[in-house]
Amino acid sequence: MRAIYLENIELSNEIILTDEKFHHLIKVLRLKRDYEILVLDGIGNSRVYKLNEINKKSCVIASSSEAITGQRCSTPDVLICPPKKEYAEAMIRSCIEAGVNNIYFAESEYSQWSFENNKRIEQIISSSLEQSNNHFRPDFIILDDITAAPFKDYDTVLLFTSNSRKTVSKNTLGRCLIIIGPEAGFSNMEEDFVEQLDNSVMLHLPLNIMKAVTALPVAIGYCLGTESNS
């Protein structure tokens, strides 16, 4: 079933779609009457509709079920010190598709891009929610730098590092914040700061060096696997 995300929408019995959503469903996907569509509002609610009427510049969808409320995924939050733009955008997609609820952005010494919530980012958010049928739009929190993150709110602050530093092993991560840096990694000063946190874990996995865009889903998978096996 195709999903569409409509921000600030009331899931009423009937919805008129125009502009980009209409063009994508009718002109690109070429959906026909009676096709079922899952509508997401980004705050936890969804409802199934049928394509009821197709006009020249709009279409009408009519509800075929009651609205339901989804459940948030129990995933770690993520703090991104952005790599270059194309990788950062891919990381946003990965976060949304994995169900990350809070995404922090902070500039580090080697950051290559600054987050700005523009039309391009909104398109990425929309398509990622639709791709994954994620009921919840994440919160984006902009920080001045890495030291401004609310580390005390978490049981575990997890930094994957390729350096030979102190590594702590934990069986249960609890509420976890993953820190992912840019392609050049973190400076020694930044790694020292994280290492000195009471709740930090500096983890080196026996894997090849990964780009940030690859490291992020690996880190999320590691956390989810650790929790499920605890």
Side-chain angles (χ1 to χ4, degrees):
M1 183 185 301
R2 296 284 180 178
I4 59 171
Y5 163 59
L6 300 175
E7 188 177 10
N8 299 322
I9 189 69
E10 179 183 350
L11 298 179
S12 55
N13 290 331
E14 192 173 87
I15 299 174
I16 299 174
L17 301 178
T18 59
D19 301 327
E20 291 181 4
K21 297 300 182 183
F22 164 75
H23 178 81
H24 183 68
L25 292 177
I26 306 304
K27 304 298 184 180
V28 177
L29 299 179
R30 299 185 180 277
L31 302 186
K32 306 299 183 183
R33 285 190 59 182
D34 294 330
Y35 190 96
E36 286 194 328
I37 301 165
L38 179 67
V39 177
L40 309 168
D41 69 359
I43 56 174
N45 306 303
S46 68
R47 194 170 186 177
V48 177
Y49 290 79
K50 279 189 177 182
L51 188 51
N52 194 39
E53 180 182 330
I54 301 174
N55 303 308
K56 188 175 181 179
K57 294 184 178 181
S58 67
C59 63
V60 179
I61 56 176
S63 63
S64 59
S65 74
E66 295 298 319
I68 62 172
T69 300
Q71 297 295 319
R72 284 191 181 273
C73 295
S74 181
T75 55
D77 291 342
V78 174
L79 167 58
I80 299 174
C81 297
K84 60 185 180 181
K85 180 181 178 182
E86 63 182 280
Y87 291 157
E89 290 178 347
M91 293 168 76
I92 292 171
R93 290 190 184 94
S94 293
C95 284
I96 296 174
E97 291 177 9
V100 172
N101 297 309
N102 295 295
I103 306 173
Y104 299 90
F105 285 90
E107 290 195 27
S108 63
E109 184 171 340
Y110 303 125
S111 290
Q112 298 169 283
W113 179 72
S114 296
F115 177 84
E116 180 183 353
N117 197 355
N118 52 32
K119 185 177 181 180
R120 168 70 177 168
I121 295 297
E122 286 298 322
Q123 289 173 339
I124 291 171
I125 294 170
S126 180
S127 64
S128 300
L129 290 171
E130 293 169 358
Q131 167 67 31
S132 58
N133 283 6
N134 185 353
H135 282 58
F136 293 92
R137 176 193 174 103
D139 289 327
F140 292 84
I141 304 101
I142 312 302
L143 307 173
D144 290 335
D145 57 54
I146 192 173
T147 66
F151 296 116
K152 293 182 179 179
D153 294 346
Y154 295 90
D155 299 308
T156 305
V157 176
L158 190 58
L159 177 65
F160 291 82
T161 175
S162 59
N163 296 331
S164 298
R165 303 171 70 87
K166 180 189 73 172
T167 300
V168 181
S169 176
K170 289 189 177 182
N171 294 324
T172 302
L173 299 175
R175 189 175 185 222
C176 182
L177 175 67
I178 296 170
I179 304 177
I180 297 289
E183 298 304 290
F186 293 100
S187 68
N188 289 335
M189 184 179 297
E190 289 164 341
E191 285 207 2
D192 287 341
F193 170 78
V194 175
E195 186 177 10
Q196 290 168 13
L197 297 172
D198 292 337
N199 54 350
S200 66
V201 172
M202 310 290 286
L203 185 62
H204 174 59
L205 297 178
L207 299 171
N208 298 328
I209 296 175
M210 294 174 284
K211 290 183 178 293
V213 69
T214 306
L216 174 58
V218 169
I220 293 174
Y222 173 87
C223 293
L224 295 178
T226 299
E227 287 297 297
S228 64
N229 291 325
S230 63

